[in-house]
Amino acid sequence: MNAVFGYIGVYFLRFLHESGRISILFGQTIFLIFRPPFNIREALSQMEEIGVRSIPVVVITSAFTGMVLALQTFTGFKRFNAETLVGTVVALSVTRELGPVLTGLMVSGRVGSAMAAELGTMRVTEQIDALYTLATNPVKYLVVPRFLASLVMVPVLVVFADVIGIMGGYFVSVKVLGTNPTVYIRRTWDYMELSDIYSGLLKACIFGMIMAIISCYQGFYTEGGAEGVGKATTRAVVLSCLVILISNYFITAILF
Amino acid sequence: MIGDTSVKIKVVDLHKSFGKNYVLRGINLTVNKGESMVVIGGSGVGKSVLIKCVIGLIKPDSGSIGIDGQEITSLKEGSLNEIRKKFGMLFQAGALFDSLSVWENVGFGLKHHTSLGDGEIKAIAVEKLGLLGLRSVEDLMPSELSGGMRKRVSLARAIAMEPEILLYDEPTTGLDPIMADAINDLIVQMRKKLEVTSIAITHDMVSAYKIADRIAMLYEGKIIEVGTPKQIRESSNAIVQQFIQGKAEGPIKAR
Ligand SMILES: Nc1ncnc2c1ncn2[C@@H]1O[C@H](COP(=O)(O)OP(=O)(O)OP(=O)(O)O)[C@@H](O)[C@H]1O
Ligand SMILES: [Mg+2]
């Protein structure tokens, strides 16, 4: 019994320790964003990596999600003759919930892992130490551009996800299930409010920050050679995804 | 240390352990302005840890490190950054930035701390690479270089800003004897022409005798002997003698 409490205690302390260090890195990053010099070129190249290169993944994910959502909702709603509301359900689910969450998860897998691996490799091959010796702040040089690029590009990806998801739902409803297109579109627009989109984009910003800071943290403090880089990469993805899912609930509960 | 302007680096009673691994156990070392100090010692005794402490990459557990009379062990990252502008460091494994080309690596400090344009930076990088016998490599990526070339590019990066203090972690390991000797000459020139103060770590006694004003031997966490190459060669300490002659038998046990 004591051993169990011992384990819980150790894990709890480690959790507090890690959260503390992640918060410190977050604080430093925010502080350094506003300090010159501004490395715009690096931020742009990260934006390309995070944003442009993630478009295919996000498009496929959201298209099929919108499509399956239309199928499932149609099956359920037919039972009480509410098929015409499928468009509403697809639009609301995608903009408020699935767009940001799925994009957050996919980007964590694609980009978070790469960030952790890249920074982790730089740590274990002493490139981060070399940055210090060249009187460069590695947080400024490495973390800030990745953080900014994620903060900007994840919401952009979510806009893509929203549009493609809704189009996927439309496609299945109209072409496969035979819903009247005019009705479908009217139902989609009638019940959708601007706040649905805003709330989704706000989530996207938060998820982008979570993904970037957790992944950079894991890479930045990697220990133990190639094996350590592997572990850091895995932890970056798993932890980013978990924190995105958990915070998603609380953001929804508190704000909307 | 205060007021003594001829002292550049002063390390006093420095201790550092990693968990149970007690690496530095009270290091005392003074390096004068313009002096070339060579640190010798067995593999794993903590030579790299020592110079990383000197440049503030590793925080020691206790003890003091003075650079130009300024205590650095208690400095915050921001002020430490200012101090680091006096330094250039060659890492044992090179530590080149693998996302940047060779000339961008060499010119990294110039790019971040001067207002020079890319063209000028590249010209300086090419010149420094030339000093180290590297030609037409400036546009390659580090992954395209051989081990010895990486080391020299890293050395070019360390000297590019013409710092006051240079720390060399094994500058000649992995190079052929002729190239090693050329690097030794370069290190000697740097000291003569630019009055650089340096600490070099090496296992290579030929190189040590050639570049050192004084040699310090690190053993079991302490500096057990410091002296000119001549004094070291004539040392009566059995440990020093065994090391410089490279014998397997003696007080140092090969592990
Ligand atoms: N960052 C670190 N974390 C934990 N232990 C470390 C760290 N850096 C060095 N050590 C330990 O400190 C000891 C000394 O290492 P150091 O790299 O200084 O050796 P060295 O004298 O440079 O050896 P070599 O000649 O082989 O390069 C080793 O036992 C090493 O395991
Ligand atoms: Mg070493």
Side-chain angles (χ1 to χ4, degrees):
Chain A
M1 204 57 202
N2 265 336
V4 175
F5 283 123
Y7 271 124
I8 296 174
V10 166
Y11 274 103
F12 186 64
L13 286 180
R14 223 171 66 186
F15 169 75
L16 286 183
H17 177 74
E18 294 254 313
S19 332
R21 293 217 302 178
I22 292 179
S23 312
I24 290 172
L25 183 63
F26 179 69
Q28 283 176 336
T29 306
I30 297 290
F31 174 73
L32 288 170
I33 286 176
F34 301 102
R35 296 270 305 232
F38 304 107
N39 194 347
I40 297 179
R41 213 176 63 178
E42 179 65 12
L44 287 178
S45 95
Q46 287 298 327
M47 280 186 192
E48 184 185 348
E49 180 58 38
I50 294 167
V52 181
R53 304 245 170 88
S54 297
I55 288 176
V57 173
V58 168
V59 162
I60 294 171
T61 310
S62 55
F64 279 91
T65 305
M67 283 156 65
V68 80
L69 204 58
L71 270 187
Q72 292 282 29
T73 319
F74 183 84
T75 318
F77 278 23
K78 207 168 76 175
R79 294 180 192 161
F80 41 91
N81 299 322
E83 303 97 299
T84 53
L85 284 172
V86 168
T88 317
V89 171
V90 169
L92 288 192
S93 315
V94 167
T95 53
R96 291 183 66 98
E97 194 59 45
L98 293 170
V101 171
L102 290 177
T103 305
L105 297 182
M106 294 312 286
V107 170
S108 297
R110 212 194 79 83
V111 178
S113 57
M115 285 183 189
E118 198 178 351
L119 266 56
T121 306
M122 292 188 74
R123 166 65 74 185
V124 302
T125 56
E126 296 182 317
Q127 293 177 50
I128 290 184
D129 284 343
L131 282 172
Y132 281 116
T133 66
L134 291 159
T136 306
N137 184 332
V139 176
K140 172 94 191 162
Y141 183 74
L142 297 171
V143 181
V144 167
R146 286 170 172 75
F147 180 84
L148 276 182
S150 307
L151 179 60
V152 173
M153 291 318 276
V154 175
V156 172
L157 288 171
V158 167
V159 172
F160 271 86
D162 288 353
V163 173
I164 302 285
I166 290 172
M167 276 164 50
Y170 173 87
F171 173 79
V172 167
S173 302
V174 174
K175 303 281 176 200
V176 180
L177 304 170
T179 312
N180 179 320
T182 332
V183 174
Y184 188 92
I185 291 174
R186 235 207 5 254
R187 291 296 186 193
T188 300
W189 289 123
D190 278 359
Y191 294 98
M192 198 156 76
E193 289 166 18
L194 216 48
S195 72
D196 296 325
I197 297 185
Y198 285 155
S199 72
L201 292 185
L202 178 65
K203 279 183 180 178
C205 290
I206 297 174
F207 296 164
M209 292 194 278
I210 289 174
M211 184 275 300
I213 219 67
I214 289 181
S215 305
C216 287
Y217 168 82
Q218 294 295 345
F220 203 80
Y221 293 104
T222 300
E223 279 174 8
E227 190 189 350
V229 176
K231 282 186 183 153
T233 309
T234 311
R235 268 204 303 269
V237 176
V238 173
L239 206 61
S240 299
C241 291
L242 284 179
V243 177
I244 284 175
L245 290 172
I246 294 169
S247 63
N248 178 48
Y249 173 81
F250 289 103
I251 299 168
T252 312
I254 294 168
L255 292 182
F256 318 114
Chain B
M1 139 173 45
I2 292 156
D4 188 351
T5 51
S6 67
V7 174
K8 192 80 179 172
I9 303 169
K10 192 173 175 95
V11 177
V12 181
D13 198 27
L14 197 72
H15 292 259
K16 176 72 196 177
S17 48
F18 296 100
K20 282 186 217 127
N21 185 2
Y22 193 4
V23 181
L24 304 181
R25 311 177 187 183
I27 301 272
N28 292 293
L29 188 68
T30 305
V31 186
N32 297 318
K33 202 168 229 158
E35 187 180 31
S36 165
M37 174 66 77
V38 167
V39 177
I40 57 173
S43 192
V45 289
K47 304 180 298 294
S48 297
V49 171
L50 172 62
I51 61 168
K52 283 182 188 167
C53 287
V54 169
I55 197 170
L57 286 176
I58 294 182
K59 278 244 176 295
D61 300 334
S62 68
S64 104
I65 299 167
I67 305 294
D68 285 328
Q70 185 175 8
E71 176 61 46
I72 65 154
T73 49
S74 52
L75 287 183
K76 288 246 166 28
E77 200 48 56
S79 347
L80 211 47
N81 236 357
E82 285 309 306
I83 299 278
R84 289 200 186 108
K85 289 185 182 160
K86 298 182 182 182
F87 282 90
M89 176 160 173
L90 165 67
F91 283 82
Q92 192 168 356
L96 296 177
F97 304 125
D98 41 33
S99 59
L100 301 180
S101 68
V102 165
W103 77 265
E104 287 170 317
N105 264 284
V106 176
F108 192 92
L110 296 165
K111 170 136 195 144
H112 287 260
H113 302 300
T114 68
S115 51
L116 296 177
D118 277 1
E120 293 158 290
I121 293 176
K122 191 165 179 180
I124 296 173
V126 169
E127 180 212 323
K128 301 290 175 195
L129 289 165
L131 285 180
L132 295 159
L134 291 170
R135 271 164 244 295
S136 54
V137 294
E138 58 273 12
D139 291 314
L140 298 179
M141 296 304 282
S143 56
E144 298 171 288
L145 303 177
S146 77
M149 289 160 92
R150 294 174 68 95
K151 189 129 233 178
R152 282 180 284 158
V153 172
S154 183
L155 187 52
R157 183 176 70 184
I159 64 176
M161 295 282 283
E162 304 192 342
E164 298 167 35
I165 305 171
L166 273 163
L167 305 177
Y168 308 101
D169 198 341
E170 309 200 0
T172 55
T173 5
L175 301 179
D176 65 74
I178 298 165
M179 188 50 72
D181 200 51
I183 300 291
N184 290 336
D185 284 339
L186 182 95
I187 293 175
V188 172
Q189 269 174 33
M190 296 277 303
R191 184 195 46 186
K192 285 203 182 123
K193 271 204 302 216
L194 303 171
E195 296 186 338
V196 175
T197 308
S198 64
I199 302 181
I201 292 173
T202 188
H203 292 135
D204 171 2
M205 290 313 296
V206 178
S207 161
Y209 291 139
K210 181 151 186 183
I211 64 179
D213 291 320
R214 286 192 299 154
I215 297 177
M217 164 121 189
L218 182 58
Y219 180 70
E220 294 193 331
K222 291 201 168 80
I223 300 286
I224 54 164
E225 186 137 339
V226 189
T228 61
K230 186 163 179 290
Q231 287 168 336
I232 291 291
R233 227 176 289 173
E234 292 164 1
S235 167
S236 58
N237 188 326
I239 297 171
V240 175
Q241 280 302 332
Q242 187 197 346
F243 188 86
I244 64 176
Q245 293 173 25
K247 290 191 182 141
E249 277 121 66
I252 312 175
K253 295 282 166 265
R255 271 168 296 161

Tab-separated table of all heavy atoms in Angstrom, chain B residues 76-110:
chain	number	residue	atom	x	y	z
B	76	LYS	N	23.129	35.770	-14.370
B	76	LYS	CA	21.908	35.350	-15.070
B	76	LYS	C	22.221	35.173	-16.558
B	76	LYS	O	23.216	35.700	-17.066
B	76	LYS	CB	20.835	36.438	-14.910
B	76	LYS	CG	20.266	36.515	-13.516
B	76	LYS	CD	18.799	36.106	-13.572
B	76	LYS	CE	18.185	35.811	-12.233
B	76	LYS	NZ	18.726	36.488	-11.067
B	77	GLU	N	21.350	34.467	-17.243
B	77	GLU	CA	21.561	34.143	-18.651
B	77	GLU	C	21.876	35.378	-19.506
B	77	GLU	O	22.770	35.355	-20.336
B	77	GLU	CB	20.322	33.412	-19.194
B	77	GLU	CG	20.548	32.602	-20.461
B	77	GLU	CD	21.768	31.699	-20.403
B	77	GLU	OE1	21.903	30.850	-19.489
B	77	GLU	OE2	22.623	31.858	-21.280
B	78	GLY	N	21.179	36.470	-19.252
B	78	GLY	CA	21.381	37.678	-20.054
B	78	GLY	C	22.797	38.226	-19.963
B	78	GLY	O	23.437	38.508	-20.977
B	79	SER	N	23.317	38.344	-18.741
B	79	SER	CA	24.677	38.880	-18.575
B	79	SER	C	25.715	37.863	-19.021
B	79	SER	O	26.778	38.224	-19.534
B	79	SER	CB	24.940	39.256	-17.119
B	79	SER	OG	23.779	39.269	-16.369
B	80	LEU	N	25.380	36.589	-18.827
B	80	LEU	CA	26.283	35.526	-19.263
B	80	LEU	C	26.485	35.616	-20.778
B	80	LEU	O	27.584	35.424	-21.299
B	80	LEU	CB	25.664	34.176	-18.896
B	80	LEU	CG	26.589	33.016	-18.572
B	80	LEU	CD1	27.685	33.426	-17.625
B	80	LEU	CD2	25.774	31.875	-17.965
B	81	ASN	N	25.397	35.952	-21.485
B	81	ASN	CA	25.456	36.105	-22.926
B	81	ASN	C	26.471	37.162	-23.339
B	81	ASN	O	27.199	36.996	-24.311
B	81	ASN	CB	24.075	36.507	-23.438
B	81	ASN	CG	23.577	35.544	-24.487
B	81	ASN	OD1	24.278	34.612	-24.864
B	81	ASN	ND2	22.377	35.783	-24.956
B	82	GLU	N	26.501	38.257	-22.586
B	82	GLU	CA	27.462	39.316	-22.879
B	82	GLU	C	28.887	38.805	-22.714
B	82	GLU	O	29.756	39.034	-23.543
B	82	GLU	CB	27.224	40.524	-21.956
B	82	GLU	CG	26.006	41.346	-22.346
B	82	GLU	CD	26.020	41.729	-23.823
B	82	GLU	OE1	27.020	42.316	-24.275
B	82	GLU	OE2	25.039	41.415	-24.529
B	83	ILE	N	29.132	38.089	-21.583
B	83	ILE	CA	30.457	37.522	-21.330
B	83	ILE	C	30.858	36.566	-22.451
B	83	ILE	O	32.003	36.531	-22.888
B	83	ILE	CB	30.471	36.746	-19.989
B	83	ILE	CG1	30.138	37.669	-18.836
B	83	ILE	CG2	31.791	36.027	-19.778
B	83	ILE	CD1	31.277	38.480	-18.337
B	84	ARG	N	29.865	35.796	-22.945
B	84	ARG	CA	30.183	34.774	-23.948
B	84	ARG	C	30.647	35.387	-25.255
B	84	ARG	O	31.244	34.711	-26.084
B	84	ARG	CB	28.964	33.880	-24.191
B	84	ARG	CG	28.669	32.971	-23.013
B	84	ARG	CD	27.815	31.807	-23.454
B	84	ARG	NE	27.385	30.992	-22.332
B	84	ARG	CZ	26.136	30.959	-21.880
B	84	ARG	NH1	25.200	31.690	-22.456
B	84	ARG	NH2	25.828	30.196	-20.863
B	85	LYS	N	30.365	36.671	-25.462
B	85	LYS	CA	30.838	37.311	-26.696
B	85	LYS	C	32.363	37.386	-26.723
B	85	LYS	O	32.958	37.590	-27.779
B	85	LYS	CB	30.229	38.703	-26.843
B	85	LYS	CG	28.751	38.620	-27.167
B	85	LYS	CD	28.123	39.952	-27.446
B	85	LYS	CE	26.636	39.762	-27.713
B	85	LYS	NZ	25.867	40.995	-27.538
B	86	LYS	N	33.008	37.248	-25.549
B	86	LYS	CA	34.470	37.230	-25.527
B	86	LYS	C	35.034	35.882	-25.962
B	86	LYS	O	36.235	35.750	-26.166
B	86	LYS	CB	34.976	37.479	-24.093
B	86	LYS	CG	34.603	38.815	-23.515
B	86	LYS	CD	35.196	38.955	-22.127
B	86	LYS	CE	34.784	40.279	-21.527
B	86	LYS	NZ	35.366	40.487	-20.201
B	87	PHE	N	34.157	34.873	-26.035
B	87	PHE	CA	34.631	33.502	-26.222
B	87	PHE	C	34.390	32.959	-27.617
B	87	PHE	O	33.447	33.357	-28.302
B	87	PHE	CB	33.854	32.566	-25.290
B	87	PHE	CG	34.291	32.568	-23.870
B	87	PHE	CD1	33.728	33.450	-22.959
B	87	PHE	CD2	35.243	31.670	-23.427
B	87	PHE	CE1	34.108	33.437	-21.634
B	87	PHE	CE2	35.633	31.652	-22.096
B	87	PHE	CZ	35.065	32.536	-21.198
B	88	GLY	N	35.260	32.031	-28.003
B	88	GLY	CA	34.939	31.155	-29.114
B	88	GLY	C	35.180	29.752	-28.607
B	88	GLY	O	36.101	29.529	-27.824
B	89	MET	N	34.335	28.805	-29.022
B	89	MET	CA	34.548	27.451	-28.515
B	89	MET	C	34.477	26.426	-29.639
B	89	MET	O	33.580	26.460	-30.467
B	89	MET	CB	33.501	27.122	-27.446
B	89	MET	CG	33.615	25.692	-26.965
B	89	MET	SD	32.832	25.451	-25.371
B	89	MET	CE	32.973	23.676	-25.214
B	90	LEU	N	35.440	25.537	-29.611
B	90	LEU	CA	35.422	24.393	-30.522
B	90	LEU	C	34.935	23.186	-29.731
B	90	LEU	O	35.560	22.799	-28.748
B	90	LEU	CB	36.833	24.127	-31.043
B	90	LEU	CG	37.035	22.762	-31.709
B	90	LEU	CD1	36.254	22.658	-32.998
B	90	LEU	CD2	38.505	22.506	-31.976
B	91	PHE	N	33.818	22.615	-30.163
B	91	PHE	CA	33.282	21.449	-29.460
B	91	PHE	C	33.983	20.182	-29.917
B	91	PHE	O	34.407	20.076	-31.066
B	91	PHE	CB	31.781	21.309	-29.707
B	91	PHE	CG	30.959	22.263	-28.898
B	91	PHE	CD1	30.773	23.568	-29.315
B	91	PHE	CD2	30.390	21.862	-27.702
B	91	PHE	CE1	30.038	24.459	-28.565
B	91	PHE	CE2	29.655	22.745	-26.937
B	91	PHE	CZ	29.473	24.047	-27.369
B	92	GLN	N	34.045	19.243	-28.989
B	92	GLN	CA	34.748	17.990	-29.266
B	92	GLN	C	34.179	17.303	-30.516
B	92	GLN	O	34.927	16.801	-31.336
B	92	GLN	CB	34.633	17.067	-28.048
B	92	GLN	CG	35.556	15.870	-28.103
B	92	GLN	CD	35.637	15.146	-26.763
B	92	GLN	OE1	35.052	15.577	-25.766
B	92	GLN	NE2	36.359	14.057	-26.739
B	93	ALA	N	32.844	17.295	-30.639
B	93	ALA	CA	32.242	16.613	-31.784
B	93	ALA	C	31.796	17.597	-32.864
B	93	ALA	O	31.010	17.250	-33.739
B	93	ALA	CB	31.076	15.750	-31.320
B	94	GLY	N	32.283	18.818	-32.800
B	94	GLY	CA	31.965	19.786	-33.846
B	94	GLY	C	30.754	20.644	-33.546
B	94	GLY	O	30.832	21.846	-33.551
B	95	ALA	N	29.614	19.980	-33.270
B	95	ALA	CA	28.371	20.700	-32.968
B	95	ALA	C	28.016	21.725	-34.041
B	95	ALA	O	27.553	22.816	-33.754
B	95	ALA	CB	28.449	21.372	-31.596
B	96	LEU	N	28.218	21.351	-35.307
B	96	LEU	CA	27.791	22.246	-36.395
B	96	LEU	C	26.271	22.228	-36.501
B	96	LEU	O	25.636	21.213	-36.218
B	96	LEU	CB	28.405	21.791	-37.717
B	96	LEU	CG	29.921	21.868	-37.809
B	96	LEU	CD1	30.394	21.320	-39.149
B	96	LEU	CD2	30.395	23.298	-37.629
B	97	PHE	N	25.710	23.368	-36.913
B	97	PHE	CA	24.251	23.421	-37.099
B	97	PHE	C	23.917	22.716	-38.402
B	97	PHE	O	24.253	23.198	-39.476
B	97	PHE	CB	23.783	24.876	-37.155
B	97	PHE	CG	24.182	25.652	-35.945
B	97	PHE	CD1	24.904	26.821	-36.052
B	97	PHE	CD2	23.840	25.200	-34.680
B	97	PHE	CE1	25.288	27.533	-34.932
B	97	PHE	CE2	24.217	25.903	-33.552
B	97	PHE	CZ	24.944	27.067	-33.674
B	98	ASP	N	23.215	21.587	-38.323
B	98	ASP	CA	23.064	20.820	-39.557
B	98	ASP	C	21.973	21.337	-40.474
B	98	ASP	O	21.826	20.851	-41.583
B	98	ASP	CB	22.958	19.307	-39.309
B	98	ASP	CG	22.101	18.956	-38.131
B	98	ASP	OD1	21.124	19.684	-37.879
B	98	ASP	OD2	22.404	17.964	-37.460
B	99	SER	N	21.250	22.368	-40.043
B	99	SER	CA	20.285	22.956	-40.984
B	99	SER	C	20.890	24.138	-41.746
B	99	SER	O	20.227	24.705	-42.610
B	99	SER	CB	19.036	23.399	-40.227
B	99	SER	OG	19.388	24.345	-39.247
B	100	LEU	N	22.130	24.507	-41.413
B	100	LEU	CA	22.759	25.636	-42.094
B	100	LEU	C	23.945	25.146	-42.913
B	100	LEU	O	24.601	24.175	-42.552
B	100	LEU	CB	23.252	26.666	-41.074
B	100	LEU	CG	22.222	27.282	-40.128
B	100	LEU	CD1	22.894	28.271	-39.187
B	100	LEU	CD2	21.115	27.964	-40.901
B	101	SER	N	24.239	25.860	-44.004
B	101	SER	CA	25.382	25.489	-44.830
B	101	SER	C	26.678	25.833	-44.084
B	101	SER	O	26.654	26.483	-43.045
B	101	SER	CB	25.342	26.236	-46.154
B	101	SER	OG	25.563	27.609	-45.906
B	102	VAL	N	27.795	25.379	-44.646
B	102	VAL	CA	29.083	25.573	-43.992
B	102	VAL	C	29.366	27.053	-43.737
B	102	VAL	O	29.714	27.452	-42.627
B	102	VAL	CB	30.204	24.919	-44.828
B	102	VAL	CG1	31.573	25.413	-44.386
B	102	VAL	CG2	30.130	23.403	-44.714
B	103	TRP	N	29.179	27.895	-44.761
B	103	TRP	CA	29.520	29.310	-44.545
B	103	TRP	C	28.558	29.975	-43.555
B	103	TRP	O	28.962	30.842	-42.782
B	103	TRP	CB	29.627	30.087	-45.855
B	103	TRP	CG	28.322	30.474	-46.504
B	103	TRP	CD1	27.668	29.783	-47.490
B	103	TRP	CD2	27.527	31.637	-46.235
B	103	TRP	NE1	26.508	30.436	-47.832
B	103	TRP	CE2	26.397	31.575	-47.087
B	103	TRP	CE3	27.641	32.717	-45.355
B	103	TRP	CZ2	25.400	32.542	-47.085
B	103	TRP	CZ3	26.644	33.686	-45.358
B	103	TRP	CH2	25.537	33.601	-46.212
B	104	GLU	N	27.299	29.534	-43.537
B	104	GLU	CA	26.362	30.096	-42.559
B	104	GLU	C	26.742	29.678	-41.136
B	104	GLU	O	26.555	30.441	-40.187
B	104	GLU	CB	24.932	29.646	-42.869
B	104	GLU	CG	24.342	30.326	-44.084
B	104	GLU	CD	23.027	29.710	-44.523
B	104	GLU	OE1	22.916	28.467	-44.544
B	104	GLU	OE2	22.109	30.463	-44.857
B	105	ASN	N	27.285	28.461	-41.019
B	105	ASN	CA	27.797	28.025	-39.724
B	105	ASN	C	28.942	28.914	-39.271
B	105	ASN	O	28.942	29.422	-38.155
B	105	ASN	CB	28.288	26.580	-39.806
B	105	ASN	CG	27.256	25.585	-39.342
B	105	ASN	OD1	27.039	25.436	-38.141
B	105	ASN	ND2	26.596	24.939	-40.282
B	106	VAL	N	29.910	29.095	-40.170
B	106	VAL	CA	31.101	29.868	-39.811
B	106	VAL	C	30.705	31.321	-39.514
B	106	VAL	O	31.208	31.943	-38.591
B	106	VAL	CB	32.148	29.795	-40.941
B	106	VAL	CG1	33.348	30.675	-40.613
B	106	VAL	CG2	32.593	28.355	-41.143
B	107	GLY	N	29.750	31.842	-40.290
B	107	GLY	CA	29.371	33.245	-40.134
B	107	GLY	C	28.257	33.478	-39.131
B	107	GLY	O	27.751	34.599	-39.029
B	108	PHE	N	27.894	32.447	-38.366
B	108	PHE	CA	26.726	32.574	-37.480
B	108	PHE	C	26.854	33.744	-36.509
B	108	PHE	O	25.944	34.556	-36.351
B	108	PHE	CB	26.522	31.271	-36.703
B	108	PHE	CG	25.201	31.206	-35.992
B	108	PHE	CD1	24.099	30.646	-36.606
B	108	PHE	CD2	25.057	31.716	-34.706
B	108	PHE	CE1	22.874	30.598	-35.962
B	108	PHE	CE2	23.830	31.676	-34.057
B	108	PHE	CZ	22.740	31.108	-34.689
B	109	GLY	N	28.010	33.839	-35.856
B	109	GLY	CA	28.213	34.922	-34.892
B	109	GLY	C	28.191	36.292	-35.569
B	109	GLY	O	27.593	37.241	-35.063
B	110	LEU	N	28.842	36.369	-36.745
B	110	LEU	CA	28.871	37.646	-37.475
B	110	LEU	C	27.456	38.081	-37.850
B	110	LEU	O	27.098	39.239	-37.747
B	110	LEU	CB	29.716	37.494	-38.748
B	110	LEU	CG	31.192	37.195	-38.532
B	110	LEU	CD1	31.835	36.713	-39.818
B	110	LEU	CD2	31.902	38.436	-38.011
